[in-house]
Structure formats: structure tokens, C-alpha cells
Amino acid sequence: MARLDCRAVPTATATRPRVFSGMRPTGQLHIGHFLGALGNWVRLQDEYECVYSVVDLHALTTGYEDVKGIHDAGLEMVADWVACGVDPERSIIFRQSDVPQHAELAVLLGMITPLSWLERVPTYKGQIDELGDHLQTYGFLGYPLLQTADIILYKATRVPVGQDQLPHLELSREVVRRFNHLYGDVFPEPEAIISQAPLLLGMDGRKMSKSYGNAITLASSDDEIDRQVMSMVTDPQRIKKDDPGDPDICNVFSWQKLLGASDAEITEIYEGCTSATLGCVADKRDLAERVKALIHPIREKREQLMEDPARLEAILEQGAERARAIAGPVMAEATAAMGL
Ligand code: TRP
């Protein structure tokens, strides 16, 4: 069998390896996304050629019953990305469904992937248990294959994702090895770059999520931020202001650290809390100012962008063009390797 040389295809330059990542357009992004995943995406732009996709086909794997919001959610997500510093000039930003090769490659990968590999991905059964039997579909089972196609269609070698995505990446690597073993060395094995988990918990101490109503989104107004921060749960043992508190179990204190309070400020807050000279309300007011300062410029920028949906569509169109220019030749290489 002819072995194809993967250097034959124009992919990442030697000096700048390629990064791929995606987010499903399923709801508004919050401050945890900014300090976690998106912060990484922005930083990676300096060192890598980055390809970032609004993975709308992936949104269909769980949300196929209610599809009317998908398009607009994708547009809004792009506004959030750009407002946070993802640069549509330097990076390729596009909608997955605008590049048909994603679906095409996923079909090819389906030919060589044993069902058992997909069935044993932990998120598969876990998500069905959590979200229900409407996920008993072929598409949902194939989710990690579509994700694999996303990445290898660009011969990306680095994939910034959260810890929860590691089983998917492991499967991607196995599928790549199988493909290369069967048809020749076409695809490089992608490697995860683990984004720091969003350590910010929601106002109530649970995982932050728009659907729990405990999140500060990138669109939150100053009033909303004040309201949310003032509702934060602190040390439950500290009932009156002159009870000493325990910052180490206080969500407000964790936020203060993650939102960039200086070492001196952190020491002051710590001592104020444990000696009961700083009350929870004052501490929260101080935190609210920090959150507002962080969100304010992002919100302004995203509002500006949202006022001009044609510009957002143009970003996605240009991104799709650049994405297809890479995906087309790689797809041709894959179909040739598979004897088509
Ligand atoms: N599965 C990822 C998530 O839920 C989203 C995703 C789809 C992705 N395709 C990808 C991430 C490719 C990285 C690379 O977060």
C-alpha cells in the first residue's frame, strides 16, 4: 500500500505547530470560561497557529430536539471570543458546519472504529444517565469521532481542552494510530493541553452554569454583577460580623485570589476575615469592583460586536474559507489513502 507523506500537505509551518479547539454553541459564556478555556486560547495565539471552531454539529448531538437557537448562539459566542481577545486575523475562527469535510471525515473514521471503543468512553454512559434516553442516538455515540475529525482535519497536534475531555483525546489518538496503521502515515497524533479547570465556583458554591442561575456571564451588567456577588455564600459558620471567619472555605476568598488581588491585598483580606475586622459584605463589595473591572471592557466590546451581526458573519465566512483551504487537501489525502 502506498504510504503517503504527510509533509506533502501544506499544514502547520515547522516553527508554529497548529492548535485546534472548539466550543459548542449551547449558551452564554461566563467569567469561568474567560479565566479558564478562553484565556488559554488567547495566550496560545502567540505561539501557535490556532484554529477555533463553533462546533454546531456537536451541539446537535445533545440538542437536536430544539435547534432554533443554534445559529444565533454561535454568533454570540464568536462575539464573546473576540471580545475576550481571540483575534480573527491571527487565528482561524469558523463554524464547523461551514466546512463539510468535518462530517465527511467523521464518516470515514466510523468505518475503522470498533463500537466498543466508543461505548467505553466514560462520558457516553455518564451523559445518558445524566441527561436521559434521548441521547441514545448514533450521533451521540459518534461524538468523539466527530471531535477527532475536527482536530486531524487540520493535522493539529495540540488541543487545549478541560480535564473532562481527556478520554475523547485518548480515543482520538487510538483512532489516528489505527488509521495510520491501515492506510499509511497521514495524521499526527494530537496531544491535549489541559486548560486549568475553571476553579471559579458559582455564587452558591456549585459548578458555575448559566442554567443554575449562579453564573456571572460576559454580558452581565454592573447591577447584575453586584446582585450576584452580594448573594455569594461565605463561611457558613460566620453568622455575625464579629464572628471570625475561615477564608479557606469561603468562595469569596477563592474568587479574590483568582481575580487578581495582589499578595498584599490577599493577606489583608485573610487577616481581616480571621480577626473579624473585615465583614463579608465589605469583602463582597471589594470583589464586585474587581469583577466589574474585568467584565466591563469585555461587555462593551461584545455589545459593539453584537450590534454588527454582518461583521460577525463575515468573520465566520472568512474563517471558513481559510479552514477549507487546509481541510480540502487533507481530506483528499485521507480519501486517497483509503482507496477512494
Ligand atoms: N467536546 C468539546 C467540549 O465539549 C468540544 C469540541 C468539539 C472540541 N470538537 C473539539 C474540543 C475538538 C477540542 C477539539 O468541550
Side-chain angles (χ1 to χ4, degrees):
M1 188 170 308
R3 284 179 79 82
L4 285 160
D5 182 354
C6 59
R7 283 166 306 183
V9 162
T11 56
T13 55
T15 46
R16 293 218 311 159
R18 192 172 283 145
V19 154
F20 185 98
S21 199
M23 271 187 212
R24 288 175 297 151
T26 48
Q28 268 181 355
L29 299 188
H30 55 61
I31 185 171
H33 291 113
F34 174 63
L35 293 176
L38 275 177
N40 254 348
W41 286 22
V42 170
R43 282 188 293 276
L44 287 167
Q45 296 179 117
D46 296 332
E47 230 184 292
Y48 297 92
E49 181 186 347
C50 296
V51 184
Y52 295 132
S53 181
V54 175
V55 287
D56 50 357
L57 297 174
H58 277 94
L60 284 180
T61 62
T62 52
Y64 61 88
E65 287 161 321
D66 183 11
V67 297
K68 61 183 180 309
I70 293 183
H71 185 92
D72 290 353
L75 219 54
E76 190 164 348
M77 197 163 75
V78 170
D80 280 334
W81 291 358
V82 174
C84 287
V86 180
D87 177 355
E89 301 285 321
R90 281 197 290 164
S91 299
I92 299 178
I93 300 177
F94 75 104
R95 229 189 232 117
Q96 186 186 29
S97 62
D98 285 341
V99 181
Q101 287 88 351
H102 288 254
E104 203 182 342
L105 185 55
V107 168
L108 295 189
L109 298 179
M111 305 302 167
I112 65 167
T113 308
L115 270 182
S116 60
W117 289 13
L118 293 170
E119 283 162 349
R120 70 164 192 245
V121 172
T123 42
Y124 178 62
K125 286 208 170 57
Q127 291 261 73
I128 291 178
D129 289 346
E130 198 178 314
L131 300 175
D133 279 345
H134 77 288
L135 294 186
Q136 305 270 12
T137 60
Y138 174 63
F140 186 66
L141 180 65
Y143 184 112
L145 275 194
L146 184 59
Q147 181 163 351
T148 303
D150 295 342
I151 300 163
I152 69 177
L153 200 43
Y154 302 91
K155 295 192 175 180
T157 50
R158 311 303 306 274
V159 185
V161 281
Q163 191 86 27
D164 62 313
Q165 294 293 310
L166 283 183
H168 290 169
L169 255 286
E170 205 34 62
L171 180 98
S172 297
R173 295 162 63 85
E174 272 175 296
V175 170
V176 163
R177 286 197 288 270
R178 188 167 168 87
F179 188 102
N180 290 345
H181 171 73
L182 289 168
Y183 310 117
D185 254 333
V186 174
F187 296 112
E189 275 182 48
E191 228 178 282
I193 299 176
I194 299 299
S195 325
Q196 235 191 12
L199 300 161
L200 286 178
L201 295 172
M203 304 304 114
D204 52 5
R206 290 188 298 165
K207 176 176 179 237
M208 186 157 42
S209 161
K210 181 101 199 299
S211 56
Y212 292 163
N214 65 359
I216 291 173
T217 72
L218 301 180
S220 295
S221 67
D222 284 356
D223 283 353
E224 276 165 322
I225 293 171
D226 280 332
R227 216 172 322 118
Q228 289 278 19
V229 172
M230 296 320 283
S231 79
M232 276 174 94
V233 177
T234 53
D235 174 0
Q237 306 290 354
R238 190 174 186 199
I239 295 156
K240 296 185 270 66
K241 186 181 173 226
D242 45 11
D243 296 332
D246 180 359
D248 292 324
I249 58 164
C250 177
N251 197 20
V252 176
F253 190 63
S254 326
W255 274 61
Q256 289 278 30
K257 287 188 280 192
L258 290 163
L259 268 93
S262 67
D263 289 351
E265 286 165 329
I266 287 297
T267 306
E268 198 182 313
I269 296 166
Y270 192 92
E271 280 167 6
C273 176
T274 48
S275 65
T277 50
L278 172 70
C280 295
V281 171
D283 188 16
K284 288 181 189 179
R285 286 215 176 96
D286 178 54
L287 174 64
E289 292 314 310
R290 249 182 255 287
V291 176
K292 283 185 271 188
L294 184 75
I295 294 290
H296 184 82
I298 298 175
R299 186 179 67 230
E300 298 240 296
K301 182 104 198 274
R302 84 184 288 290
E303 272 168 12
Q304 261 172 24
L305 289 156
M306 288 299 291
E307 274 166 24
D308 191 0
R311 165 144 184 248
L312 293 171
E313 293 285 5
I315 288 174
L316 286 169
E317 253 165 58
Q318 280 159 21
E321 235 168 78
R322 290 163 69 194
R324 282 190 296 259
I326 302 168
V330 174
M331 193 64 217
E333 206 184 344
T335 49
M338 288 184 87
L340 300 174

